[in-house]
PDB file of all heavy atoms in Angstrom:
ATOM      1  N   THR H1208      -2.998   1.164  -7.344  1.00 93.00           N
ATOM      2  CA  THR H1208      -1.562   0.893  -7.453  1.00 93.00           C
ATOM      3  C   THR H1208      -0.776   2.104  -7.939  1.00 93.00           C
ATOM      4  O   THR H1208       0.445   2.043  -8.015  1.00 93.00           O
ATOM      5  CB  THR H1208      -1.305  -0.286  -8.412  1.00 93.00           C
ATOM      6  OG1 THR H1208      -1.846   0.028  -9.691  1.00 93.00           O
ATOM      7  CG2 THR H1208      -1.917  -1.556  -7.878  1.00 93.00           C
ATOM      8  N   ALA H1209      -1.450   3.187  -8.264  1.00 90.00           N
ATOM      9  CA  ALA H1209      -0.759   4.401  -8.709  1.00 90.00           C
ATOM     10  C   ALA H1209      -1.495   5.612  -8.160  1.00 90.00           C
ATOM     11  O   ALA H1209      -2.650   5.523  -7.756  1.00 90.00           O
ATOM     12  CB  ALA H1209      -0.705   4.474 -10.228  1.00 90.00           C
ATOM     13  N   ASN H1210      -0.828   6.727  -8.167  1.00 86.00           N
ATOM     14  CA  ASN H1210      -1.425   7.965  -7.705  1.00 86.00           C
ATOM     15  C   ASN H1210      -1.146   9.042  -8.738  1.00 86.00           C
ATOM     16  O   ASN H1210      -0.362   8.834  -9.668  1.00 86.00           O
ATOM     17  CB  ASN H1210      -0.862   8.357  -6.333  1.00 86.00           C
ATOM     18  CG  ASN H1210      -1.881   9.103  -5.507  1.00 86.00           C
ATOM     19  OD1 ASN H1210      -2.794   9.725  -6.024  1.00 86.00           O
ATOM     20  ND2 ASN H1210      -1.717   9.035  -4.194  1.00 86.00           N
ATOM     21  N   HIS H1211      -1.759  10.192  -8.601  1.00 85.00           N
ATOM     22  CA  HIS H1211      -1.512  11.279  -9.536  1.00 85.00           C
ATOM     23  C   HIS H1211      -0.217  12.007  -9.194  1.00 85.00           C
ATOM     24  O   HIS H1211       0.200  12.065  -8.042  1.00 85.00           O
ATOM     25  CB  HIS H1211      -2.679  12.281  -9.508  1.00 85.00           C
ATOM     26  CG  HIS H1211      -3.900  11.757 -10.159  1.00 85.00           C
ATOM     27  ND1 HIS H1211      -4.884  11.080  -9.471  1.00 85.00           N
ATOM     28  CD2 HIS H1211      -4.288  11.787 -11.455  1.00 85.00           C
ATOM     29  CE1 HIS H1211      -5.829  10.727 -10.311  1.00 85.00           C
ATOM     30  NE2 HIS H1211      -5.495  11.143 -11.515  1.00 85.00           N
ATOM     31  N   ASN H1212       0.383  12.561 -10.211  1.00 84.00           N
ATOM     32  CA  ASN H1212       1.538  13.430 -10.050  1.00 84.00           C
ATOM     33  C   ASN H1212       1.024  14.741  -9.459  1.00 84.00           C
ATOM     34  O   ASN H1212       0.182  15.407 -10.062  1.00 84.00           O
ATOM     35  CB  ASN H1212       2.200  13.647 -11.413  1.00 84.00           C
ATOM     36  CG  ASN H1212       3.402  14.552 -11.360  1.00 84.00           C
ATOM     37  OD1 ASN H1212       3.555  15.358 -10.454  1.00 84.00           O
ATOM     38  ND2 ASN H1212       4.262  14.422 -12.347  1.00 84.00           N
ATOM     39  N   LEU H1213       1.517  15.127  -8.292  1.00 85.00           N
ATOM     40  CA  LEU H1213       1.008  16.329  -7.629  1.00 85.00           C
ATOM     41  C   LEU H1213       1.298  17.611  -8.393  1.00 85.00           C
ATOM     42  O   LEU H1213       0.607  18.609  -8.224  1.00 85.00           O
ATOM     43  CB  LEU H1213       1.577  16.417  -6.218  1.00 85.00           C
ATOM     44  CG  LEU H1213       1.124  15.314  -5.263  1.00 85.00           C
ATOM     45  CD1 LEU H1213       1.798  15.474  -3.909  1.00 85.00           C
ATOM     46  CD2 LEU H1213      -0.385  15.314  -5.110  1.00 85.00           C
ATOM     47  N   LYS H1214       2.323  17.597  -9.252  1.00 89.00           N
ATOM     48  CA  LYS H1214       2.652  18.792 -10.034  1.00 89.00           C
ATOM     49  C   LYS H1214       1.884  18.861 -11.348  1.00 89.00           C
ATOM     50  O   LYS H1214       1.813  19.905 -11.964  1.00 89.00           O
ATOM     51  CB  LYS H1214       4.154  18.835 -10.300  1.00 89.00           C
ATOM     52  CG  LYS H1214       4.951  19.026  -9.025  1.00 89.00           C
ATOM     53  CD  LYS H1214       6.428  19.116  -9.289  1.00 89.00           C
ATOM     54  CE  LYS H1214       7.154  19.294  -7.966  1.00 89.00           C
ATOM     55  NZ  LYS H1214       8.582  19.419  -8.135  1.00 89.00           N
ATOM     56  N   ASN H1215       1.330  17.712 -11.781  1.00 89.00           N
ATOM     57  CA  ASN H1215       0.543  17.669 -13.011  1.00 89.00           C
ATOM     58  C   ASN H1215      -0.533  16.598 -12.829  1.00 89.00           C
ATOM     59  O   ASN H1215      -0.285  15.413 -13.035  1.00 89.00           O
ATOM     60  CB  ASN H1215       1.416  17.352 -14.227  1.00 89.00           C
ATOM     61  CG  ASN H1215       0.621  17.345 -15.516  1.00 89.00           C
ATOM     62  OD1 ASN H1215      -0.606  17.443 -15.513  1.00 89.00           O
ATOM     63  ND2 ASN H1215       1.318  17.221 -16.641  1.00 89.00           N
TER      64      ASN H1215
END
Side-chain angles (χ1 to χ4, degrees):
T1208 59
N1210 211 335
H1211 287 91
N1212 179 337
L1213 294 178
K1214 294 182 180 181
N1215 182 353

